[in-house]
């Protein structure tokens, strides 16, 4: 945790592999091009 916030840093390739193996309920696999990068900055 950083200042009470959980921070996760992962590689896109590992992320889609994990999502497809464990969380994706659909037959179509998630690809890296389907991912959106989200950056949250605290002011």
């Amino acid at each position: 945790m950083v200042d009470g916030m959980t921070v996760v840093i992962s590689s896109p390739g590992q992320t889609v592999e994990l999502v497809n193996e464990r969380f994706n309920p659909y037959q179509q696999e998630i690809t890296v091009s389907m991912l959106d990068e989200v950056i949250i900055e605290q002011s």
Side-chain angles (χ1 to χ4, degrees):
M1 284 192 138
V2 176
D3 294 326
M5 182 186 310
T6 301
V7 177
V8 177
I9 301 172
S10 65
S11 74
Q14 289 176 332
T15 300
V16 294
E17 184 178 331
L18 175 66
V19 168
N20 285 319
E21 286 180 5
R22 303 292 180 174
F23 303 106
N24 187 359
Y26 305 106
Q27 290 192 1
Q28 179 183 1
E29 290 197 348
I30 303 298
T31 65
V32 172
S33 65
M34 294 175 173
L35 299 179
D36 290 326
E37 181 177 358
V38 177
I39 300 173
I40 301 171
E41 295 184 22
Q42 187 176 8
S43 55

